[in-house]
C-alpha cells in the first residue's frame, strides 16, 4: 500500500531543540531558583519533559520540586526567558533536502507538535520550510496533548487521510504513544 502523507513532530525531528529546552529548564532550576540538587539526577528527572507540552513540563518541574513553587510561578519564570534561538542553526541535517523531495512525490505533509502555533510558525519561517506543509497543528489547542492521540486525529482529519495512509515521524515517548494509537483506530 502506498502512503499518502507524512506527519512530522517538530522539536527533536525537524529542529534539534530538545537539548536546548532541557538545558534551559535545568539552568532555571539550578541558577534562578537556586535549588540545591545534583545535576545528573536533575537531568535524568527532567528528561521526562522531552516531547511534553508546556503545561506538562511545568507539572513535571513542580512535582520534582515538591510543589515548592506554584505552576504560575514556574510558568512566569520560564516564560520570562527569551532564548533568542536562531532555529536555522539547529535545523536537522537533510530536512531541506527531504521535504522538497517528499512534496514533489505528492505526499501531504503536516506538523503535529506540542509546541505553540506561534513557535511552530517561527521555526518553519526561520528555516524556510513553512511552504512544504499542508497543515500545522499545535498541541496547545487540545485539552490533552501527546501522548493523547487527539492531535493526530485532528491532523489526519485536516489532511483528509486515514491512519493507515500516513507515516508519523516522532522522537519522544509521548509522541510515539500518541501516533501508535492510530494504528488501532
Amino acid at each position: 500500500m502506498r502512503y499518502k502523507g507524512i506527519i512530522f513532530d517538530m522539536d527533536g525531528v525537524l529542529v534539534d531543540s530538545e537539548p536546548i529546552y532541557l538545558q534551559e529548564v535545568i539552568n532555571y532550576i539550578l541558577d534562578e531558583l537556586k535549588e540545591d540538587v545534583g545535576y545528573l539526577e536533575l537531568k535524568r528527572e527532567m528528561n521526562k519533559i522531552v516531547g511534553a507540552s508546556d503545561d506538562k513540563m511545568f507539572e513535571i518541574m513542580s512535582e520534582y520540586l515538591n510543589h515548592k513553587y506554584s505552576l504560575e510561578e514556574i510558568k512566569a519564570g520560564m516564560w520570562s526567558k527569551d532564548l533568542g534561538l536562531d532555529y536555522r542553526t539547529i535545523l536537522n541535517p537533510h530536512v531541506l533536502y527531504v521535504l522538497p523531495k517528499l512534496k514533489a512525490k505528492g505526499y501531504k505533509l503536516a506538523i503535529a507538535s506540542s509546541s505553540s502555533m506561534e513557535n511552530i510558525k517561527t521555526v518553519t519561517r526561520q528555516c524556510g520550510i513553512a511552504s512544504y506543509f499542508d497543515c500545522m497543528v499545535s498541541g496547545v489547542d487540545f485539552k490533552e496533548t501527546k501522548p493523547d492521540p487527539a492531535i493526530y486525529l485532528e491532523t489526519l482529519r485536516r489532511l483528509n487521510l486515514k491512519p493507515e495512509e500516513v507515516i508519523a515521524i516522532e522522537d519522544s515517548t509521548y509522541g510515539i504513544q500518541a501516533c501508535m494509537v492510530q494504528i488501532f483506530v
Side-chain angles (χ1 to χ4, degrees), residues 10-11 14-17 20-21 82-92 95-96 99 111 117-133 136:
M10 184 179 72
D11 294 299
L14 298 174
V15 291
D16 194 20
S17 54
I20 295 167
Y21 297 157
D82 178 20
L83 297 181
L85 271 178
D86 180 349
Y87 289 96
R88 293 172 296 189
T89 64
I90 58 171
L91 183 66
N92 275 325
V95 166
L96 292 176
L99 292 179
I111 292 176
M117 186 55 70
E118 179 183 356
N119 187 238
I120 293 168
K121 288 181 178 181
T122 297
V123 170
T124 57
R125 186 185 69 252
Q126 277 188 13
C127 295
I129 59 175
S131 64
Y132 295 112
F133 296 100
M136 297 181 228

Side-chain angles (χ1 to χ4, degrees), residues 59-76:
E59 287 174 24
I60 291 167
M61 291 170 69
S62 179
E63 187 176 303
Y64 176 77
L65 297 168
N66 295 316
H67 305 286
K68 183 176 175 180
Y69 307 93
S70 71
L71 289 177
E72 289 73 28
E73 289 174 301
I74 294 172
K75 283 180 189 181

Side-chain angles (χ1 to χ4, degrees), residues 1 10 20 31 48 85 98 124-125 132 137 144 157:
M1 168 162 164
M10 184 179 72
I20 295 167
D31 300 338
K48 295 174 184 173
L85 271 178
V98 171
T124 57
R125 186 185 69 252
Y132 295 112
V137 183
E144 297 289 329
R157 185 191 70 72

